[in-house]
């Protein structure tokens, strides 16, 4: 049984807490957070505390806190003997350098409040400063997910940047789509099946092969027609930049 | 039983042909295309032809041809008595103005060769020049889909532009994500669950509420770190423009 102290009260902490609850061979023995009210998600099942000066002994400490807080929170774990890991895609392992045993336990997913995500198919990207701790993290990861990978800090940074494109920026494309629909009194829900199929295509096609649309076809008539239809300058700038990029990647000049 | 002549041999034509095959009350009686070899998908079940001078009589003629070809192809249907519709999101109904009875039958989906899509949950956007023809199109649409909507040309144009954002540009975000992964020897498949969850979130959240990431948080440290990590200028330009747009929409200045 791996004993875990979970630190944090945000979406990642709450999702991890739920996932470990049903995992074999792992027990969350304690949850630490700065804000007492935010600890309610855990207090029915395990001891919770806001006191960072009194930390129980555990095999693994998971710092599921915001990127900005990792260094400060880590400082309070200088004296522990267990393995201390953060869960951030964008933070180097070096941020934990003043601790004894360190690692990274990065779940590559977007978490939302009040929506518990299944960890079974969710990639867990691991890093540790030594082989023994990496093996321990792999055991922890395997208790939750079928996709556990060792990824170094540079690769994790690349994954995190790629995640900004496929998640943050993609979601912003949805936002623009919704704004355009609202402007023209069209139901945005009509676009849901298209959005889902666009994602589902990746099961059997690389995105390069799945690309369609006026920019890919070099259809300048439709591009101009669309640009004229966009009254928002920011939307026009984005439409132009992305169309130019797609054309340059498919060998047609604008 | 509604009799249909299908014109075209591309993805939309092939998907419609398959869908009508199992639809009650609709019979595709003939398929017309310019290229004989491309007609093989239909020739086992119905007569096919490349001869646009001899068109059999039918209640509805569906021009499932590329946007550029609609006007030229429509010209050969000037003499028919049936209803002639195109399937294009980006083409006005006026393009068919020299015909007797006209309409639009626009399936809002992305079609891929060799992958037959289910029409059941796929929105069909309809338009016609008179009520009687609109009713006929609604009957045709209801034979395939549970989501049949009357959408005028201006709204359809807006939907088509929105579709470019949520489909074409989103797919390009996936392409950049894959390029970054390949550059750093990371498996792009690790991002698939994130991509799917990003789309699935729309089931219970508007994209505005689902937005996450450094730009939304106003986390300039991470933004700079990511920009330094992108060696491709085009990717940097896109990262900057979209981050600026997201920040301006969430009230934080870059």
């Amino acid at each position: 049984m791996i004993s875990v102290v979970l630190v944090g009260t945000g979406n990642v902490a709450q999702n991890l807490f739920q996932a470990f609850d049903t995992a074999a061979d792992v027990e969350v023995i304690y949850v630490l957070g700065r804000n007492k009210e935010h600890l309610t998600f855990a207090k029915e099942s395990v001891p919770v505390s806001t006191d960072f000066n009194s930390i129980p002994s555990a095999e693994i400490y998971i710092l599921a806190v915001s990127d900005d807080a990792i260094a400060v929170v880590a400082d309070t774990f200088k004296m522990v003997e267990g393995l201390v890991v953060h869960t951030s895609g964008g933070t180097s392992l070096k941020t934990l350098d003043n601790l004894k045993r360190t690692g990274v336990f990065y779940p590559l997913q977007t978490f939302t409040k009040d929506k518990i995500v299944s960890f079974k198919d969710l990639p867990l990207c691991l890093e540790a400063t030594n082989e023994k701790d990496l093996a321990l993290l792999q055991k922890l990861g395997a208790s939750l997910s079928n996709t556990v990978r060792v990824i170094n800090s540079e690769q994790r940074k690349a994954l995190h940047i790629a995640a900004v494109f496929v998640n943050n920026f993609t979601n912003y494309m949805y936002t623009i789509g919704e704004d355009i629909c609202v402007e023209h009194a069209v139901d945005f829900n009509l676009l849901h099946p298209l959005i889902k199929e666009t994602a589902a295509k990746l099961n059997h096609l690389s995105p390069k092969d799945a690309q369609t649309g006026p920019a890919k076809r070099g259809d300048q008539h439709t591009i101009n027609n669309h640009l004229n239809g966009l009254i928002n300058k920011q939307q026009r700038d984005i439409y132009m930049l992305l169309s130019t990029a797609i054309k340059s990647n498919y060998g047609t000049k604008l």
Side-chain angles (χ1 to χ4, degrees), chain A residues 171-182:
Chain A
N171 185 72
Y172 192 63
M173 297 299 116
Y174 302 162
T175 302
I176 294 177
E178 184 175 54
D179 286 346
I180 294 169
C181 284
V182 168

Side-chain angles (χ1 to χ4, degrees), chain A residues 174 192-213 216-217 250:
Chain A
Y174 302 162
H192 283 198
L194 177 63
I195 285 170
K196 278 180 197 156
E197 178 64 14
T198 305
K201 269 193 183 183
L202 297 183
N203 290 341
H204 56 278
L205 273 183
S206 91
K208 262 193 190 72
D209 294 331
Q211 190 66 53
T212 58
K216 157 79 187 296
R217 291 195 306 273
Y250 290 88

